[in-house]
């Protein structure tokens, strides 16, 4: 016990003038308290009670700190009065540290001078206090049980007409405290389920009459919310009149809806079990060893070839059917397990009545029934076919060796399956998690660096989509072989899902060595692989994270490698990137930009800008290209190169294309309404939009006049991803009268064959080929050849990047059809287009520059 740090109320003093023999003979624990409040004399009964040998002592030595102040007040009051004080309860401190509850009574030693000394007697009431505590605990338990049992109490006093219903009774019916109770039997009957009304009214009448057979019945009552509640009503008469008529009935209602639901589920389960047994041809039996009777179902009789009329009892037909070589073992097994009431399985041979031999497998459960009989229930099924499959193995090994050997093999096989990828044989994500922790702890202890390489295959999806999953599986196995061939024996490689792999390397921390390993993997992954007559190629992007020293966090290292991989893929793929804080910051910036793009789509911040196109001979407006711009609320007007890559990762480029097209069509109608001549509108279309199976449906909702709209496609779009879906969508575009244009022609890997396959209406010569046309003869010759190529295929040619009057003059002379560039028109919003078209300032500007150049 903790001793109080407060100043003690009593100081030690002794009285020695009392005969000790007489005092010790007192049967009750007694002490004399002096005028200072200290125990000056203690009898043997007191010493026995407190397990002490002390004959005197301070009050603080014997009284608990918490009780010291009340006890001292009790003593003071006794000293101030000559009368016997009312006893008080106090805890005393035994020598072994335990607390003893006592009832303290006191009287003055000298009646005429109580301040001289007091006699205090202590009665041990610890057992009584323990009993009080136990009763209090039981009372709390029953109170809690009543509250938590969700049982509604009702009390019908027919003598007084008083009807009581507890809050739980109301709650199970959805009634609030002040909601009215049905006043008549008819009102209440209306709430009873129609199928239960007659039965419930009869049961209620019999219960009110005191019939014990109807002390409990069940029915359904409508809840205030409208659903049905199953209620179990239990009631009993507690008072009768002189004629034996019940005067008062008290009962409880219990919501048994869940129990009823469980019973219905049990019935359904029983039906399913019955069907399963019928379908599986498993026979079920039950036997009573005390009566000797046995009951077999139809399937059981079918398994053993016994007809329905044959009587089956213990010691009869079944024992005769068991093969003679198995009979003693089987019967001994039954006797032993039934005696010990242990569930058991067995497998044995039987000779059927038709002479055929079958193997039977059984599962049996012995038990003691409610009537005290020894019983067992079991299932038997024919496993002859299974035994035939295992016979060769069983002949080659003993039973014990087979069991142990197969168990170890199965365990090893299961562990291997659980920890390895089924396709490549590499460790899987679960194995990686365990190894990552072990590698981290090992490197932290040894001081080595731990490097994580997160590898993602580039263009793997195209192989899967074009050549099928078999080809994809072959490439995944090829990639796994590359990894295992290029890492050391003590390194670790795993496939963690899809086309992603992780390599763990313990190293000296040299970034140069790790970069060489990554470059070697990338180089090997690049090499072509022949799959079913097709030459397949893919690349790989690798993110690397390295750490060492105390506190090495291996799991954070894996996350850092993932961030580095993301950076590698966004930096052009087929490359390796190391994690750095800057990489992390960049990823956070990309995340913020992604959120901004999605918000911008919701807030309709993406708008079209227009750059007009002109006839190379007359400088008349021949059309306009629609360009996407983003009116960012904080950063202002943003060009596509600042958001297009992230938008592509978010798979919303097609959404942006669609929005820009819809707005451009509205603006096109506004030009027509203003009398402004804009013959044609062209919009950029992403590769994903061309792959969209719903493109046809989306375009059908737009008012597109044939010949007024063209879709611009990047050169790589129709060369890299020209599949059946793209072909179908392009055919539908032509059906709608939408022309196809090839953008940035000359910068990719286009060919005459690809142009013939696509058959575009127009292609654009990239600005890089146009920029040096006025000054370079070789450049002019190249552009002339491209223009002649286009014309030979009946394709209109547009030159991009027209910046000067010399560009206009030279391109016109080379036979180019249409010009586009900042020298003629910058991209402008719709609000500025009317003024631009009406002023025709591009004509004056370019004619003046042309004359000056002459």
């Amino acid at each position: 016990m903790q001793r109080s740090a407060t100043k003690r109320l009593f100081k030690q003093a002794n009285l020695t003038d009392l005969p000790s023999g007489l005092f010790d003979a007192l049967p009750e624990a007694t002490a004399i308290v002096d005028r200072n409040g200290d125990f000056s004399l203690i009898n043997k009964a007191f010493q026995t009670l407190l397990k002490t040998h002390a004959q005197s002592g301070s009050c603080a030595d014997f009284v608990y700190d918490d009780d010291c102040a009340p006890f001292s007040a009790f003593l003071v009051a006794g000293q101030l009065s000559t009368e016997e004080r009312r006893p008080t309860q106090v805890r005393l401190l035994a020598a072994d540290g335990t607390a003893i509850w006592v009832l303290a009574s006191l009287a003055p030693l000298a009646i005429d001078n109580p301040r001289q000394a007091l006699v205090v007697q202590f009665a041990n009431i610890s057992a009584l206090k323990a009993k009080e505590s136990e009763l209090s605990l039981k009372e709390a338990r029953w109170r809690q049980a009543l509250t938590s049992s969700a049982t509604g109490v009702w009390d019908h006093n027919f003598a007084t007409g008083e009807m009581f219903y507890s809050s739980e009774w109301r709650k199970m019916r959805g009634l609030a405290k002040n909601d009215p109770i049905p006043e008549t039997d008819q009102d209440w009957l209306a709430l009873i389920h129609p199928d239960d009304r007659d039965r419930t009214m009869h049961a209620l009448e019999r219960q009110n009459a005191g019939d014990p057979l109807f002390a409990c019945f069940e029915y359904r009552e409508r809840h205030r919310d409208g659903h049905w509640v199953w209620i179990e009503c239990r009631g009993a008469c507690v008072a009768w009149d002189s004629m034996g008529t019940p005067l008062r009935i008290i009962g409880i209602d219990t919501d048994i809806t869940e129990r009823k639901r469980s019973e219905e589920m049990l019935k359904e389960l029983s039906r399913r079990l019955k069907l399963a047994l019928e379908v599986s041809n498993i026979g079920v039996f039950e036997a009573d060893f005390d009566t000797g009777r046995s009951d077999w179902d139809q399937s059981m009789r079918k398994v053993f070839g016994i007809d329905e009329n044959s009587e089956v009892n213990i010691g009869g037909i079944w024992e005769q059917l068991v093969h003679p070589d198995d009979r003693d073992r089987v019967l001994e097994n039954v006797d032993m397990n039934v005696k010990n009431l242990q569930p058991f399985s067995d497998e044995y041979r039987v000779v059927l009545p038709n002479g055929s031999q079958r193997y039977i497998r059984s599962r049996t459960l012995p038990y003691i029934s409610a009537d005290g009989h020894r019983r067992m229930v079991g299932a038997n099924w024919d496993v002859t076919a299974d035994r035939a499959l295992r016979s060769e193995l069983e002949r080659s090994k003993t039973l014990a060796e087979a069991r142990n050997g197969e168990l170890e093999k199965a365990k090893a096989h299961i562990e291997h399956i659980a920890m390895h990828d089924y396709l490549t044989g590499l460790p899987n994500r679960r194995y990686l998690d365990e190894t990552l922790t072990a590698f981290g702890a090992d490197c932290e202890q040894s001081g080595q660096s731990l490097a994580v390489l997160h590898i993602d295959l580039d263009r793997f999806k195209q192989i899967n989509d074009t050549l099928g999953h078999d080809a994809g599986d072959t490439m995944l196995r090829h990639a796994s072989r590359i990894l295992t061939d290029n890492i050391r024996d003590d390194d670790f490689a795993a496939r963690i899902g899809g086309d992603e792999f992780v390599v763990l390397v313990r190293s000296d921390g040299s970034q140069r060595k790790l970069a060489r390993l990554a470059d070697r993997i990338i180089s090997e992954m690049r090499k072509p692989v022949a799959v079913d007559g097709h030459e397949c190629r893919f690349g790989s992007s690798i993110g690397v994270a390295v750490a060492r020293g105390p506190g090495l966090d291996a799991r954070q290292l894996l996350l850092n490698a993932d961030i580095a991989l993301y950076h590698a893929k966004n930096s052009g793929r087929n490359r390796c990137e190391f994690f750095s804080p800057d990489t992390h910051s960049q990823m956070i910036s990309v995340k913020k930009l992604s959120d901004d793009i999605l918000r911008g789509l919701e807030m309709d911040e993406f708008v079209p800008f227009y750059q007009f196109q002109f006839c190379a001979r007359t400088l008349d407006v021949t059309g306009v290209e629609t360009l996407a711009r983003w009116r960012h609320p904080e950063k202002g007007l943003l060009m596509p190169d600042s958001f297009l890559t992230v938008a592509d990762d978010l798979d919303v480029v097609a959404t942006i294309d669609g929005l820009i097209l819809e707005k451009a069509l509205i603006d096109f109608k506004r030009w027509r309404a203003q009398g402004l001549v804009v013959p044609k509108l062209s919009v950029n279309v992403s590769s994903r939009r061309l792959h969209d199976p719903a493109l046809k449906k989306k375009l059908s909702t737009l008012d597109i006049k044939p010949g007024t709209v063209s879709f611009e496609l990047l050169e790589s779009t129709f060369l890299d991803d020209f599949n059946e879906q793209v072909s179908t969508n392009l055919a539908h575009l032509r059906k709608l009268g939408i022309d196809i244009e090839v953008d940035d022609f000359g910068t990719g890997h286009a060919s005459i064959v690809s142009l013939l396959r696509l058959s575009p209406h127009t292609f654009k010569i990239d600005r890089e080929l146009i920029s040096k046309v006025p000054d370079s003869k070789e450049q002019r010759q190249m552009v002339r050849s491209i223009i002649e190529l286009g014309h030979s295929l009946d394709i209109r040619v547009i030159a991009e990047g027209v910046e000067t009057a010399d560009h206009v003059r030279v391109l016109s002379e080379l036979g180019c059809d249409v010009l586009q560039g900042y020298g003629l028109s910058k991209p402008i919003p719709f609000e500025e287009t009317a003024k631009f078209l009406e002023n025709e300032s591009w004509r004056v500007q370019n004619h003046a520059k042309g004359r000056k150049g002459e």
Side-chain angles (χ1 to χ4, degrees), residues 286-288 290-291 341 366-376:
E286 188 169 6
D288 188 326
D290 290 342
T291 63
L341 296 178
Y367 67 99
I368 300 296
S369 64
D371 56 9
H373 289 193
R374 288 179 307 136
R375 287 173 169 255
M376 70 177 183

Side-chain angles (χ1 to χ4, degrees), residues 538-606:
F538 58 32
S540 58
S541 299
I542 303 180
V544 185
V546 189
R548 71 186 304 168
L552 187 151
D553 189 341
R555 302 209 170 275
Q556 183 60 48
L557 204 57
L558 182 61
L559 293 176
N560 292 345
D562 186 52
I563 294 171
L565 172 63
Y566 180 85
H567 184 59
K569 294 178 74 68
N570 280 327
S571 300
R573 303 177 185 268
N574 214 33
R575 59 188 292 144
C576 164
E577 290 288 344
F578 281 80
F579 173 81
S580 68
D582 292 339
T583 306
H584 195 196
S585 299
Q586 182 178 357
M587 186 174 179
I588 294 173
S589 299
V590 170
K591 174 64 170 61
K592 185 177 186 308
L593 180 58
S594 300
D595 295 340
D596 281 355
I597 289 173
L598 296 176
R599 179 197 51 75
L601 285 171
E602 293 177 358
M603 303 304 295
D604 196 27
E605 294 172 1
F606 291 90

Side-chain angles (χ1 to χ4, degrees), residues 804-816:
T804 66
D806 288 337
H807 279 119
V808 174
R809 175 179 55 79
V810 173
L811 289 167
S812 177
E813 292 172 354
L814 292 175
C816 188

Side-chain angles (χ1 to χ4, degrees), residues 107-244:
L109 189 61
I111 295 178
D112 57 343
N113 188 10
R115 294 183 60 84
Q116 176 63 27
L118 296 172
V119 177
V120 185
Q121 285 191 322
F122 301 95
N124 189 345
I125 59 171
S126 294
L128 179 62
K129 293 293 285 187
K131 191 67 174 178
E132 287 180 355
S133 177
E134 181 183 357
L135 290 175
S136 177
L137 179 60
K138 288 182 178 179
E139 181 182 359
R141 285 175 179 168
W142 282 111
R143 187 182 299 112
Q144 181 63 31
L146 184 62
T147 302
S148 61
S149 64
T151 299
V153 179
W154 52 268
D155 184 351
H156 294 173
N157 193 327
F158 300 119
T160 64
E162 182 181 1
M163 304 292 181
F164 168 78
Y165 303 96
S166 71
S167 58
E168 284 297 330
W169 187 94
R170 292 174 173 271
K171 182 179 178 181
M172 71 177 62
R173 292 165 170 81
L175 299 175
K177 181 179 180 180
N178 297 322
D179 287 342
I181 303 297
E183 296 182 357
T184 67
D185 289 347
Q186 291 302 318
D187 293 339
W188 177 72
L189 192 61
L191 299 175
I192 306 303
H193 194 285
D195 296 343
D196 299 344
R197 286 173 185 168
D198 293 342
R199 176 175 53 80
T200 302
M201 286 304 296
H202 175 69
L204 188 62
E205 290 172 359
R206 298 309 306 150
Q207 189 180 81
N208 288 342
D211 189 340
L213 295 178
F214 291 87
C216 178
F217 61 90
E218 301 170 356
Y219 66 94
R220 283 167 289 183
E221 185 173 337
R222 187 181 296 280
H223 192 274
R224 183 163 186 154
D225 293 342
H227 63 274
W228 295 107
V229 180
W230 272 101
I231 293 176
E232 181 184 76
C233 177
R234 292 181 179 271
C237 183
V238 298
W240 297 263
D241 62 10
S242 59
M243 301 298 294

Side-chain angles (χ1 to χ4, degrees), residues 647-678:
D648 188 49
D649 288 340
L650 290 173
D651 197 16
V652 296
V653 173
T655 304
I656 295 173
D657 286 350
L659 291 174
I660 296 300
L661 174 59
E662 292 176 12
K663 293 181 179 182
L665 290 173
I666 294 173
D667 291 343
F668 191 75
K669 289 182 179 180
R670 292 164 69 185
W671 284 325
R672 293 289 175 93
Q674 295 174 19
L676 300 174
V677 179
V678 181

Side-chain angles (χ1 to χ4, degrees), residues 308-534:
E308 296 182 9
N309 299 322
S310 298
E311 186 174 346
V312 182
N313 289 318
I314 295 176
I317 193 168
W318 176 76
E319 288 81 355
Q320 297 172 13
L321 292 175
V322 177
H323 194 285
D325 294 343
D326 295 345
R327 188 175 299 150
D328 291 342
R329 176 186 60 81
V330 172
L331 295 179
E332 182 181 350
N333 192 30
V334 171
D335 291 342
M336 179 186 69
N337 287 288
V338 170
K339 180 179 179 181
N340 296 316
L341 296 178
Q342 292 180 338
F344 64 98
S345 300
D346 206 345
E347 190 170 308
Y348 55 91
R349 292 167 293 175
V350 295
V351 180
L352 302 187
N354 62 9
S356 64
Q357 179 176 296
R358 313 295 290 171
Y359 281 91
I360 304 297
R361 185 174 296 161
S362 66
R363 178 64 179 168
T364 310
L365 176 66
Y367 67 99
I368 300 296
S369 64
D371 56 9
H373 289 193
R374 288 179 307 136
R375 287 173 169 255
M376 70 177 183
V377 62
N380 283 211
W381 61 99
D382 189 336
V383 294
T384 306
D386 295 341
R387 286 287 304 187
L389 292 175
R390 296 185 352 233
S391 60
E392 185 174 351
L393 178 62
E394 290 176 351
R395 281 194 301 269
S396 63
K397 295 183 179 181
T398 64
L399 182 62
E401 288 174 345
R403 285 179 177 174
N404 291 335
E406 288 303 310
L407 181 60
E408 290 301 320
K409 288 180 182 178
K411 181 180 178 182
H413 183 60
I414 291 171
E415 288 179 353
H416 182 83
I417 291 174
M419 303 296 281
H420 288 80
D421 171 45
Y422 76 97
L423 178 64
T424 64
L426 288 178
N428 58 16
R429 181 58 186 259
R430 178 181 169 188
Y431 199 166
L432 170 67
D433 289 341
E434 293 184 6
T435 307
L436 182 64
T437 302
F439 269 45
D442 183 50
C443 288
E444 187 174 11
Q445 184 176 7
S446 65
Q448 285 183 296
S449 292
L450 175 60
V452 178
L453 284 71
H454 193 168
I455 302 152
D456 183 84
L457 303 183
D458 299 329
R459 299 186 70 250
F460 174 75
K461 184 177 183 299
Q462 287 88 329
I463 295 175
N464 247 355
D465 293 343
T466 56
L467 299 181
H469 290 287
D470 288 343
D473 291 348
T474 299
M475 297 304 289
L476 287 173
R477 286 190 286 267
H478 171 68
S480 69
R481 285 193 295 272
I482 290 175
L483 292 180
T484 53
D485 290 345
N486 283 276
I487 63 176
R488 301 169 304 185
D489 292 340
D490 59 347
D491 294 334
F492 179 87
R495 180 189 176 207
I496 62 173
D499 57 350
E500 292 186 61
F501 300 83
V502 168
V503 172
L504 305 181
V505 178
R506 285 175 287 217
S507 70
D508 58 5
S510 171
Q511 193 171 103
R512 186 162 53 92
K513 292 180 181 178
L514 292 170
R516 281 205 303 266
L517 171 60
D519 290 341
R520 190 164 63 248
I521 292 172
I522 292 171
S523 176
E524 291 295 322
M525 293 284 191
R526 256 197 221 113
K527 295 178 180 179
V529 180
V531 179
D532 295 334
H534 298 278

